[in-house]
Amino acid sequence: MPEMESDVIDALDLRLLSALEVDGRASFSRIGAVLGVSDQTVARRYRRLAATGGVRVLAVRDAYVLGQDQWMLRVRCAPDSALALGEALAKRPDTSWIGLASGGTEVMCLTRPRRPGDHDDLLLGKLPRTPSVVEIRAHQLLHRFYGGVDGWIRKFGALTDDEIAALRPGLPAPQPGRTRLEADDEPLLAALERDGRATYPELQRATGRSESSVKRRLAALLASGAIYLDVEYRPEIFGCPVAAVLWITAAPAALSAVGRALAAHGPIAHVSATAGPSNLVATALTRSTADLYAYLSGPLGHLEGVQHVETTPFLRRVKDLTYPVSR
């Protein structure tokens, strides 16, 4: 991982963000005890990072664990309509990570249909009828090699193994059988998708359930992997303002090996196997276009089994996990 060069965060900020990746609901006092600072310092730092770096902790439904489809869409459209299309997609609750690319002629987004008809409504209904849309490429995500519960910040190595162990939440053992979300989980999930650090009294008010019931259900959902807590941030605060999506074609026999190798590379924040024209999609975060080139021509270019790489730099983010990016 390259050394962090940032005017926004320092080493303590990085340790705080790393701690939140381990347990996004850890109290400021517990984080402070592990990091060797006061809880007031942790709270003050967190508030500043939220205000200046877009840092938030959010609950995310893990589509892989829940057995739900995920699709990465590439929507080519007229240049003067890309932003409007991206903003329209951002209003949908089943989309995330929306960005403009390809000189402003392409919108990319991740879609996680929550109901069986949502995917058909988007891909077969609304998008094809949009006059400015020229082409739609839909890549179904088949297997995640890195990302999701495995956050990118941990690749900086800011915490020791002992510190990680001290922060890791004590969760009940997962129950056998497929993980399921129940209808009465929705108020709890909606509150956590707005603020993953919402207090138990706040969650009690949002759900109408007792505080002990909320604690038990949240612990069970986290332990099962049905949901996880993600730390949202602007990559710029780490000194890595250049983001690019890599569409990689690997030889079928090398697909798994290439995916695992990419997962270990410092710049890679996410990599999944896909169905579609390419069979891997990855997100790379680097300090500059020169560093992106060095990664493409070096670690990635030297991977045995890689046959083709298409690089699509992001021009602008339109939506992160759940909220549109304010301009």
Side-chain angles (χ1 to χ4, degrees):
M1 194 75 193
E3 291 185 7
M4 182 182 61
E5 295 181 358
S6 173
D7 296 328
V8 180
I9 66 173
D10 59 18
L12 179 56
D13 290 329
L14 180 60
R15 283 167 56 76
L16 167 56
L17 293 172
S18 299
L20 289 171
E21 268 200 346
V22 177
D23 182 4
R25 291 185 59 82
S27 67
F28 290 150
S29 59
R30 185 154 68 96
I31 293 174
V34 172
L35 300 187
V37 296
S38 70
D39 55 349
Q40 294 93 339
T41 296
V42 173
R44 185 174 64 252
R45 294 268 182 150
Y46 180 79
R47 288 193 294 268
R48 180 177 59 80
L49 289 168
T52 62
V55 170
R56 295 183 305 140
V57 177
L58 303 169
V60 180
R61 308 172 199 227
D62 196 324
Y64 287 104
V65 174
L66 293 169
Q68 298 172 343
D69 287 346
Q70 292 185 100
W71 297 77
M72 192 73 164
L73 305 184
R74 304 183 66 180
V75 184
R76 194 158 59 89
C77 54
D80 58 353
S81 63
L83 180 57
L85 178 60
E87 290 176 340
L89 287 170
K91 295 176 182 177
R92 294 179 60 102
D94 58 350
T95 62
S96 60
W97 305 122
I98 299 175
L100 306 187
S102 302
T105 63
E106 184 175 350
V107 178
M108 291 187 293
C109 82
L110 181 66
T111 176
R112 298 169 172 170
R114 295 189 178 180
R115 297 181 302 273
D118 288 349
H119 173 256
D120 290 347
D121 174 60
L122 182 61
L123 282 183
L124 304 179
K126 289 185 171 56
L127 280 177
R129 292 200 302 266
T130 304
S132 59
V133 170
V134 176
E135 180 185 34
I136 304 169
R137 293 186 183 181
H139 303 250
Q140 186 175 13
L141 304 189
L142 305 177
H143 175 79
R144 182 174 61 213
F145 291 102
Y146 196 84
V149 70
D150 297 315
W152 181 67
I153 302 173
R154 71 183 57 187
K155 290 190 173 184
F156 284 93
L159 299 177
T160 66
D161 290 343
D162 288 343
E163 288 170 335
I164 292 172
L167 287 162
R168 200 174 298 282
L171 296 172
Q175 297 299 311
R178 168 159 287 207
T179 302
R180 294 181 58 185
L181 296 178
E182 307 296 340
D184 58 2
D185 288 326
E186 286 302 322
L188 175 61
L189 294 175
L192 291 166
E193 286 168 345
R194 290 190 298 270
D195 179 10
R197 291 184 60 82
T199 65
Y200 287 114
E202 289 171 336
L203 295 176
Q204 179 184 8
R205 290 192 294 271
T207 61
R209 300 161 74 167
S210 69
E211 188 170 323
S212 60
S213 173
V214 167
K215 284 183 178 179
R216 285 195 303 271
R217 186 55 180 161
L218 176 54
L221 289 172
L222 289 169
S224 71
I227 66 171
Y228 61 90
L229 296 172
D230 199 10
V231 181
E232 187 172 275
Y233 50 82
R234 300 186 191 112
E236 294 87 343
I237 69 174
F238 296 97
C240 294
V242 177
V245 177
L246 311 178
W247 307 94
I248 300 167
T249 302
L255 178 61
S256 180
V258 172
R260 293 195 305 271
L262 288 168
H265 290 178
I268 297 300
H270 164 266
V271 57
S272 288
T274 72
S278 58
N279 54 14
L280 288 164
V281 61
T283 303
L285 303 174
T286 62
R287 291 178 297 186
S288 65
T289 52
D291 283 340
L292 177 60
Y293 170 76
Y295 173 68
L296 295 174
S297 60
L300 177 56
H302 294 155
L303 273 183
E304 186 175 353
V306 172
Q307 298 176 330
H308 179 75
V309 179
E310 179 186 355
T311 305
T312 311
F314 270 106
L315 295 181
R316 176 189 291 181
R317 291 177 302 121
V318 179
K319 183 181 183 182
D320 289 325
L321 271 171
T322 55
Y323 289 93
V325 176
S326 47
R327 288 189 280 165

